């Protein structure tokens, strides 16, 4: 039984009657779940959870991926027997037409498009208004798509420029997107590592201040076992993704009441051989901590070592998890 629409802190009183008559009968309730659903609930996933107009689920976790070079994943999906729940794609500022085609195809296939753009100008220029018309045009076109879209501007900004300019850019462009495209979830995507172990300039509350109108925060977390560091040494221990990063990051998101997700994740081939149960345990950990999506970086681009689902066992496990993960249906 699903009880929806209760405000946080509300008390539910359930009365049951029976036509059997008599007294002293025992009544047992099976699988009662109380769930808060916002007024802008737009539909339901196939696991019974509501989604808002931006496709963000009230419970449950999408499973999806980056695939190739923004490549069509339909052939891979046919092999797995189901569609990706969320699909990460990446675009330059002058690739808006391509992004629209990809997002439309994702929605038609039942995927939530999660797209990232680099900007036409510097962060400082965008913060001062130089990219307003570009952002307005993009948001208007996204608003005409037949479903929700998750959008990010310049993901993983750490080390790419003055971070205060990046925050100022996000503050300006988020207002434009929300004004033009109510079904677009405005997201920011961070490395996660820098927020937990990096310089204080990349602290979560600095990059995502409370006055920044963000709908979801994404983190990119990997198991780097076997990878080669910049100094030429090899990573000899598995990255403690859950204990070291998911725990503090999800705790922060819960305190801020911000939805969060893994925008990129994967592990090396060596790590997969050492711990073939890593993927299902990671998905379970994200679900338990309220994460809204897990997107595997299933591509050879920009990665050394690669993180593709190379082993047969790993591919089968991903397909099994995908078939049991919730998917966007009709009302999204």
């Amino acid at each position: 039984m699903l009880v929806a629409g209760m405000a946080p802190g509300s008390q539910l009183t359930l009365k049951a009657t029976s036509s059997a008559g008599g007294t002293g009968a025992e009544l047992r309730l099976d699988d009662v779940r109380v769930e808060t659903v916002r007024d802008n609930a737009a539909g339901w996933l196939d696991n019974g959870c509501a989604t808002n107009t931006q496709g963000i689920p009230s419970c449950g976790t999408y499973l999806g991926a980056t695939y190739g070079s923004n490549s069509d994943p339909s052939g891979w999906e046919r092999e797995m027997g189901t569609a990706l729940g969320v699909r990460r794609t990446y675009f330059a500022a002058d690739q808006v037409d391509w992004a629209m085609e990809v997002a439309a195809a994702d929605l038609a296939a039942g995927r939530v498009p999660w797209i990232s753009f680099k900007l036409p100008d510097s962060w400082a220029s965008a913060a001062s208004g130089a990219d307003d018309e570009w952002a307005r045009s993009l948001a208007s076109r996204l608003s005409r798509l037949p479903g929700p879209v998750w959008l990010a501007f310049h993901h993983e900004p750490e080390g790419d420029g003055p971070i205060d300019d990046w925050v100022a850019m996000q503050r300006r462009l988020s207002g434009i997107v929300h004004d033009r495209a109510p079904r677009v979830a405005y997201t920011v995507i961070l490395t996660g590592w820098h927020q937990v172990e990096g310089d204080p300039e990349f602290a979560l509350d600095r990059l995502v201040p409370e006055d920044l109108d963000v709908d979801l925060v994404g983190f990119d977390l990997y198991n780097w076992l076997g990878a080669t560091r910049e100094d030429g040494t090899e990573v000899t221990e598995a990255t403690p993704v859950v204990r070291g990063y998911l725990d503090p990051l999800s705790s922060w998101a819960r305190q801020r009441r911000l939805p969060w997700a893994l925008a990129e994740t994967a592990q090396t081939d060596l790590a997969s051989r050492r711990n073939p149960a890593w993927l299902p345990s990671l998905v379970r950990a994200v679900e338990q901590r309220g994460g809204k999506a897990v997107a595997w970086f299933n591509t050879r681009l920009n990665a050394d070592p690669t993180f593709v689902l190379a082993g047969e066992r790993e591919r089968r496990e991903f397909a099994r998890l995908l078939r049991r993960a919730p998917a966007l249906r009709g009302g999204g």
Side-chain angles (χ1 to χ4, degrees):
M1 179 177 67
L2 173 66
V3 181
M6 293 184 63
S10 299
Q11 181 176 355
L12 172 68
T13 301
L14 180 65
K15 294 183 179 181
T17 60
S18 171
S19 60
T23 60
E26 182 179 359
L27 175 66
R28 295 183 179 180
L29 297 178
D30 182 47
D31 191 25
V32 176
R33 185 169 78 254
V34 177
E35 178 181 304
T36 299
V37 180
R38 295 185 178 185
D39 292 339
N40 66 342
W44 302 87
L45 301 180
D46 54 9
N47 65 349
C49 291
T51 66
N52 66 7
T53 55
Q54 299 165 329
I56 299 174
S58 58
C59 60
T61 304
Y62 296 120
L63 180 59
T66 298
Y67 184 69
S69 180
N70 292 345
S71 307
D72 180 2
S74 56
W76 180 34
E77 290 170 329
R78 283 192 294 271
E79 294 177 4
M80 294 187 291
T82 190
L84 299 170
V86 63
R87 181 185 175 202
R88 284 283 287 119
T89 50
Y90 310 83
F91 301 95
D94 61 355
Q95 294 176 321
V96 173
D97 289 345
W98 184 21
M100 294 302 110
E101 294 173 4
V102 167
D106 284 340
L107 290 168
R111 315 174 196 115
V112 176
W114 195 353
I115 59 180
S116 295
F117 280 97
K118 292 297 174 64
L119 301 176
D121 298 286
S122 68
W123 299 340
S125 296
S128 67
D131 294 344
D132 284 7
E133 286 306 311
W134 177 85
R136 289 190 187 102
S137 175
L138 172 64
S140 295
R141 295 183 66 176
L142 290 172
S143 73
R144 294 193 288 271
L145 290 173
V149 176
W150 296 2
L151 173 67
F153 293 129
H154 202 120
H155 73 290
E156 293 189 11
E158 301 93 335
D160 289 349
I163 203 64
D164 288 341
D165 291 345
W166 181 86
V167 175
M169 173 272 291
Q170 300 289 355
R171 188 177 283 111
R172 186 177 188 102
L173 298 190
S174 64
I176 292 174
V177 171
H178 284 134
D179 286 345
R180 295 280 178 124
R183 285 191 300 186
V184 172
Y186 194 91
T187 75
V188 294
I189 300 174
L190 310 173
T191 64
W193 181 90
H194 283 89
Q195 286 65 55
V196 175
E197 298 189 37
D199 192 284
E201 72 169 319
F202 303 128
L204 280 164
D205 286 330
R206 182 173 182 181
L207 270 62
V208 192
E210 293 197 26
D211 66 340
L212 181 58
D213 192 3
V214 173
D215 301 302
L216 182 143
V217 179
F219 303 108
D220 294 349
L221 299 173
Y222 292 82
N223 182 357
W224 292 98
L225 176 65
T228 303
R229 300 184 181 93
E230 291 184 359
D231 63 5
T233 62
E234 181 178 310
V235 178
T236 58
E237 294 184 1
T239 306
V241 171
V242 175
R243 183 182 69 257
Y245 300 101
L246 280 192
D247 282 348
L249 295 172
S250 64
S251 177
W252 171 86
R254 185 168 55 252
Q255 292 171 4
R256 287 284 301 272
R257 298 186 178 182
L258 270 176
W260 68 276
L262 287 189
E264 293 177 15
T265 193
Q267 65 173 349
T268 64
D269 292 341
L270 174 61
S272 296
R273 292 193 296 271
R274 294 273 184 89
N275 185 6
W278 187 80
L279 175 57
S281 64
L282 175 67
V283 172
R284 184 167 57 252
V286 172
E287 291 174 338
Q288 292 171 343
R289 289 156 180 78
K292 304 303 181 183
V294 175
W296 190 273
F297 196 68
N298 194 29
T299 176
R300 298 183 184 277
L301 294 177
N302 303 321
D304 183 17
T306 62
F307 296 99
V308 293
L309 294 162
E312 181 62 27
R313 178 173 180 176
E314 196 172 40
R315 289 196 297 269
R316 286 200 310 268
E317 189 64 31
F318 185 90
R320 182 187 70 82
L321 292 169
L322 184 61
R323 286 192 292 269
R324 62 173 282 272
L328 188 64
R329 293 290 181 257

